[in-house]
């Protein structure tokens, strides 16, 4: 007989589902790493890479929307992996997702202090120490840690409150984004976009674009955070699938317009020198800091919405693993508000542990997330092909048939390989932090796997899939 099934409340509307997707995609990365992207591939090259990346991610997202319609369980890809290859595949996918969402939350915690420091000079405080080539300030630790605890407290109150906050803040941000992009277009000088792609040779230009393309899963990573909350969606999965696609299209349009318009505000040589060019370019071009402050406020709101969505997604991953007997059962316990409290605390605690690594850990986080998501995308797309062969019907199906799914798989493999091996080529022969982090996480996951074998084997694969879907046979 199956253990008691703990199910999550259906509280998320279609517009809130869009807000979770868009809010977690367009977080704070566009303002933190835009300077590095433009320095590598130029404004036009970056925009082109984002366009190609968006097309590839869109193919993957169609597969995600179909799988969410077929198996709308908390944990998203863990459910799909269980259907694809059983408990081992589900466990590997779950621990990979746990690393991804923890790293993504750490990215937000590390970044927000710098944003607030530009908006409120001096708030970062004195230098505490230096690590990985960057200073870490006391204020950054206090701000990042304080917000991590505040968002955990909000998540503890249940998904409905978090979704409402997500929806209102996301639509406010969209209005603000439209405003400052319109201003950037009005002040733009196309001559500032040259050279279109940096590099003395065609090979170097291609390498620059390929490098940018390799980070596409990071730029668009948030879209799959929404599928982890599919079990809590109160609307039809057809409407949810459409909301997911619109979230990607909207974020791609924003990224491309932002890169081109900001790139046209000031010369590329100047843009490369700015710590946060997406905000500071306005101040240089217009001679006034007011618009730059609006951009910073938008970025801060974006950090909060992305962090909120990622915390929800990460906690649902731990919840799903616990409910399916793939991690300690305590992760599946719900508080009186229906929230997986220990799972939320686990993500928050891991975020607080990573926070002291500071800005020097930003680029490794990007590469780790991109590589891991590329691998998970492949598993999800393969699950689509398997489910179609089984004859199982779905309320939402990806258009284009099997060729679309196969193309999505090829794209995902390329992205994963670029993100995984690029750090090695740039490290000068030393082992990059990305490999150390991935290796350490793999060791921990293997220890937990072997230590939990009795509990894992006690539950048949069919029963585990039922639990992941929030169902019961007995």
């Amino acid at each position: 007989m199956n253990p008691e099934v703990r199910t999550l409340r259906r509280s998320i509307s279609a517009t809130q589902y869009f807000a979770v997707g868009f809010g977690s995609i367009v977080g704070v990365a566009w303002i933190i790493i835009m300077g590095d992207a433009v320095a590598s591939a130029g404004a036009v090259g970056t925009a082109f890479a984002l366009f190609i990346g968006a097309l590839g991610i869109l193919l993957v997202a169609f597969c995600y929307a179909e799988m969410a319609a077929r198996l709308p369980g908390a944990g998203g890809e863990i459910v799909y992996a269980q259907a694809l290859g059983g408990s081992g595949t589900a466990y590997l996918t779950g621990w990979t997702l746990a690393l991804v969402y923890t790293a993504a939350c750490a990215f937000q915690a590390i970044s927000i202090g710098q944003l607030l420091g530009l908006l409120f000079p001096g708030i970062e405080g004195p230098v505490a120490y230096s690590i990985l080539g960057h200073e870490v300030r006391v204020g950054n630790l206090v701000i990042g840690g304080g917000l991590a605890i505040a968002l955990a407290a909000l998540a503890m109150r249940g998904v409905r409150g978090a979704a409402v906050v997500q929806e209102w803040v996301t639509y406010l941000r969209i209005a603000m984004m439209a405003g400052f992009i319109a201003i950037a277009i009005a002040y733009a000088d196309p001559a500032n976009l040259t050279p279109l792609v940096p590099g003395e040779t065609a090979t170097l230009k291609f390498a620059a674009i390929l490098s940018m393309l390799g980070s596409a899963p990071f730029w668009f990573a948030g879209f799959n955070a929404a599928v982890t909350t599919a079990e809590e969606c109160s609307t039809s999965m057809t409407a949810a699938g459409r909301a997911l696609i619109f979230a990607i299209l909207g974020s791609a349009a924003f990224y491309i317009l932002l890169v081109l318009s900001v790139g046209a505000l000031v010369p590329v040589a100047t843009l490369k020198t700015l710590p946060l060019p997406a905000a500071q370019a306005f101040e240089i071009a217009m001679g006034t800091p007011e618009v730059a402050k609006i951009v910073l406020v938008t970025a801060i709101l974006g950090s909060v919405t992305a962090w909120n969505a990622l915390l929800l997604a990460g906690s649902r991953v731990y919840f799903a693993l616990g409910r399916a007997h793939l991690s300690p059962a305590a992760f599946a316990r719900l508080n009186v508000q229906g929230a997986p409290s220990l799972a939320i605390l686990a993500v928050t605690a891991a975020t607080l542990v990573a926070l002291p690594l500071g800005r020097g850990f930003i680029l490794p986080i990007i590469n780790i997330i991109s590589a891991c998501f590329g691998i998970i995308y492949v598993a999800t797309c393969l699950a689509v092909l398997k489910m179609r062969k089984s004859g199982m019907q779905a309320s939402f199906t990806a258009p284009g048939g099997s060729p679309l799914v196969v193309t999505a798989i090829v794209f995902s493999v390329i992205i994963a390989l670029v993100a995984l091996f690029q750090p090695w080529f740039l490290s000068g022969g030393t082992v990059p932090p990305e490999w150390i982090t991935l290796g350490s996480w793999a060791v921990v996951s293997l220890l937990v796997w072997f230590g939990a074998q009795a509990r894992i084997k006690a539950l048949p694969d069919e029963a585990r899939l039922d639990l992941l879907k929030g169902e019961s046979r007995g």
Side-chain angles (χ1 to χ4, degrees):
M1 184 173 180
N2 260 359
E4 179 186 355
V5 178
R6 299 175 177 88
T7 57
L8 298 166
R9 298 174 184 174
R10 295 186 178 276
S11 307
I12 304 177
S13 67
T15 55
Q16 290 168 346
Y17 200 71
F18 167 83
V20 171
F22 184 89
S24 52
I25 295 172
V26 184
V28 70
W30 57 273
I31 196 168
I32 296 295
I33 64 174
M34 181 179 164
D36 294 331
V38 172
S40 173
V44 174
T46 299
F48 177 73
L50 286 170
F51 174 73
I52 299 301
L55 291 180
I57 295 295
L58 193 61
L59 299 181
V60 176
F62 275 119
C63 296
Y64 267 80
E66 179 172 333
M67 286 306 300
R70 293 179 182 275
L71 300 171
E77 295 97 329
I78 306 175
V79 190
Y80 317 153
Q82 179 69 39
L84 174 65
S87 300
T89 306
Y91 181 85
L92 176 61
T93 299
W95 272 89
T96 303
L97 283 172
L99 171 60
V100 164
Y101 289 124
T102 298
C105 287
F107 178 93
Q108 305 298 331
I110 292 169
S111 301
I112 198 166
Q114 185 184 12
L115 296 176
L116 287 170
L118 283 178
L119 193 61
F120 305 105
I123 198 174
E124 291 181 279
V127 176
Y129 54 88
S130 295
I131 187 172
L132 297 176
H134 290 267
E135 296 177 342
V136 176
R137 296 182 176 271
V138 174
N140 291 339
L141 297 175
V142 173
I143 292 168
L147 281 172
I149 294 170
L151 287 174
L154 175 64
M156 290 286 193
R157 296 174 62 86
V159 72
R160 181 172 179 80
V164 169
V165 171
Q166 186 83 2
E167 183 177 19
W168 281 101
V169 175
T170 294
Y171 291 123
L172 173 62
R173 288 176 56 223
I174 290 174
M176 296 173 71
M177 290 170 180
F180 67 68
I181 286 179
I183 293 173
I185 293 174
Y187 281 81
D189 181 0
N192 289 328
L193 295 173
T194 56
L196 301 182
V197 182
E200 298 178 357
T201 66
T203 300
L204 291 176
K205 292 178 185 292
F206 176 76
I209 293 177
L210 185 63
S211 175
M212 181 61 200
L213 184 60
S215 66
F218 179 82
W219 286 84
F220 296 98
F223 85 86
N224 48 333
V227 302
T228 64
T229 61
E231 183 179 320
E232 297 159 275
C233 196
S234 61
T235 187
S236 70
M237 292 314 300
T238 299
R242 290 171 181 167
L244 189 63
I245 300 305
F246 286 140
I248 293 175
L249 292 175
S251 61
F254 167 71
Y255 283 148
I256 292 170
L257 286 173
L258 178 77
V259 169
L260 292 177
S261 57
V262 172
L265 281 177
V266 296
V268 174
T270 302
L271 206 62
K272 291 179 180 179
T273 64
L274 303 177
L276 296 177
Q280 295 165 298
F282 286 93
E283 185 172 353
I284 294 173
M286 301 174 64
T288 175
E290 279 71 21
V291 177
K293 289 182 178 179
I294 294 175
V295 178
L296 283 171
V297 170
T298 306
I300 291 168
L301 292 175
S303 178
V304 173
T305 56
W307 197 348
N308 182 45
L310 292 165
L311 175 58
L312 287 176
S315 62
R316 270 53 183 177
V317 167
Y318 281 103
F319 169 82
L321 287 171
R323 185 169 67 175
H325 289 207
L326 293 172
S327 73
F331 284 127
R333 292 174 186 162
L334 304 177
N335 62 17
V336 294
Q337 285 81 26
S341 53
L342 185 61
I344 293 169
L345 290 176
V347 179
T348 303
T351 300
L352 294 174
V353 170
L355 175 61
L357 292 174
R359 281 186 54 81
F361 199 51
I362 289 288
L363 183 58
I365 286 176
I366 294 171
N367 290 327
I368 288 168
I369 291 175
S370 296
C372 289
F373 270 142
I375 295 169
I376 292 171
Y377 292 166
V378 172
T380 300
C381 295
L382 289 173
V384 170
L385 294 178
K386 181 175 180 178
M387 296 302 288
R388 286 182 176 182
K389 289 182 179 179
S390 71
M392 179 182 178
Q393 298 299 311
S395 58
F396 181 92
T397 56
S402 296
L404 179 143
V405 181
V406 172
T407 303
I409 292 172
V410 172
F411 170 82
S412 301
V413 170
I414 293 173
I415 290 297
L417 291 175
V418 171
L420 191 59
F421 288 102
Q422 184 190 28
W424 168 260
F425 294 113
L426 297 179
S427 66
T430 61
V431 179
E434 292 89 335
W435 288 19
I436 296 173
T437 303
L438 289 169
S440 300
W441 193 263
V443 169
V444 172
S445 64
L446 284 173
L447 291 175
V448 175
W449 169 259
F450 287 116
Q453 278 300 293
R455 188 166 184 264
I456 292 171
K457 291 180 178 179
L459 193 67
D461 277 349
E462 296 80 4
R464 178 166 288 112
L465 181 58
D466 286 341
L467 288 175
L468 285 167
K469 293 189 295 181
E471 300 173 355
S472 176
R473 291 176 185 265

